[in-house]
């Protein structure tokens, strides 16, 4: 029996994780599982498929019959859709050039050496990937986050001012997408329920590339129906998963 037959013979309902090495047909397996679900009577409108590049998302749509009815997108694109449709504010994305000026203005105010730009930004971005509740942790001076920032007072001061200033100006960066969407969903039960009813069946490709923040949002969306199909290569895993 092939791996495709084996996956398709498992119950459609419930969580399934497929791990395999590079070049073994993980995406092929994912595509066939989605098609099998559709052929078994599941409405493609109720499916959400996460990919990690726009090209991969488009390819998935083209390879699946009635793929145009499925929500297929990158983590960032789906999260940004949730933000646009449900946030009380209209946020604008900071592009790289404006972000540099934005950060340097904060550095100037806080008397931080401009040479810290890459170090501070990369540390903040990594913290956002690791801690889904980053905003609350930062506001409440959570010790786990402060320890991650090595109790560096200038870095902590920058991180707080960076979020305060962005929020006042309705700005977000790409690393904010998952966190903002997560905040919207977990703090607004009606919005979460609406998304869960729409996306009852969730599929994740290249799961090894998912951050803790990515997984937190996906698990929240899948919490009601627990219809989650994941494929990935654990040997290439970048982030550790934090699902509890």
């Amino acid at each position: 029996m092939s791996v495709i037959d084996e996956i398709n013979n498992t119950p459609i309902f419930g969580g399934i994780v497929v791990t395999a090495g590079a070049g073994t047909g993980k995406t092929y397996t994912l595509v066939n599982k989605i098609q099998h679900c559709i052929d078994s009577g599941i409405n493609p409108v109720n499916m959400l498929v996460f990919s990690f590049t726009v090209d991969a998302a488009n390819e998935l749509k083209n390879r699946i019959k009635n793929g145009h009815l499925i929500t297929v997108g990158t983590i960032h694109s789906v999260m940004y859709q949730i933000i646009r449709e449900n946030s009380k504010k209209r946020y604008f994305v900071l592009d790289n050039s404006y972000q540099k000026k934005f950060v340097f203005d904060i550095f100037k105010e806080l008397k931080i050496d401009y040479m810290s730009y890459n170090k501070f930004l990369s540390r903040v971005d990594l913290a956002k990937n690791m801690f889904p509740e980053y905003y609350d942790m930062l506001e409440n001076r959570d010790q786990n986050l402060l320890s991650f920032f090595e109790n560096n007072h200038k870095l902590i001061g920058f991180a707080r001012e960076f979020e305060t200033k962005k929020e006042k100006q309705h700005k977000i960066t790409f690393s904010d997408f998952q966190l903002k969407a997560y905040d919207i969903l977990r703090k607004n039960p009606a919005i979460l329920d609406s998304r869960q009813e729409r996306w009852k069946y969730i599929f994740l490709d290249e799961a090894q590339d998912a951050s803790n923040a990515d997984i937190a949002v996906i698990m929240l969306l899948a919490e009601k129906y627990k219809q989650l199909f994941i494929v990935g290569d654990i040997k290439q895993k970048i982030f550790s998963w934090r699902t509890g």
Side-chain angles (χ1 to χ4, degrees), residues 6 13 21 27 29 71 79 127 176 192 197 206 214 232:
E6 192 169 330
F13 305 103
T27 301
T29 301
T71 300
M79 296 305 106
D176 288 314
L192 174 60
E197 285 298 321
E206 302 293 353
D214 295 333

Side-chain angles (χ1 to χ4, degrees), residues 25-87:
K26 294 186 298 297
T27 301
Y28 177 73
T29 301
L30 179 75
V31 168
N32 277 271
K33 184 60 178 179
I34 295 169
Q35 192 63 66
H36 175 67
C37 289
I38 294 173
D39 294 342
S40 298
I42 289 177
N43 191 341
V45 172
N46 293 131
M47 292 182 173
L48 170 61
V49 184
F50 287 108
S51 181
F52 275 83
T53 66
V54 174
D55 288 343
N58 290 332
E59 183 184 351
L60 281 170
K61 277 188 177 182
N62 292 331
R63 289 170 66 178
I64 300 168
K65 184 179 179 181
N66 291 325
H68 65 286
L69 299 175
I70 303 172
T71 300
V72 183
T74 64
I75 294 277
H76 282 97
S77 67
V78 175
M79 296 305 106
Y80 192 44
Q81 178 192 13
I82 291 172
I83 295 167
R84 285 198 324 268
E85 293 179 0
N86 298 286
S87 177

Side-chain angles (χ1 to χ4, degrees), residues 3-4 6-19 29-30 33 36-37 202-205 207 219 222 225-232 241:
V3 66
I4 299 300
E6 192 169 330
I7 292 299
N8 285 339
N9 285 331
T10 59
I12 290 176
F13 305 103
I16 299 174
V17 178
V18 178
T19 60
T29 301
L30 179 75
K33 184 60 178 179
H36 175 67
C37 289
I202 300 175
F203 302 81
L204 173 62
D205 194 15
M219 296 299 283
Y225 289 101
K226 297 179 173 57
Q227 309 306 314
L228 184 59
F229 187 92
I230 294 173
V231 298
W241 289 14

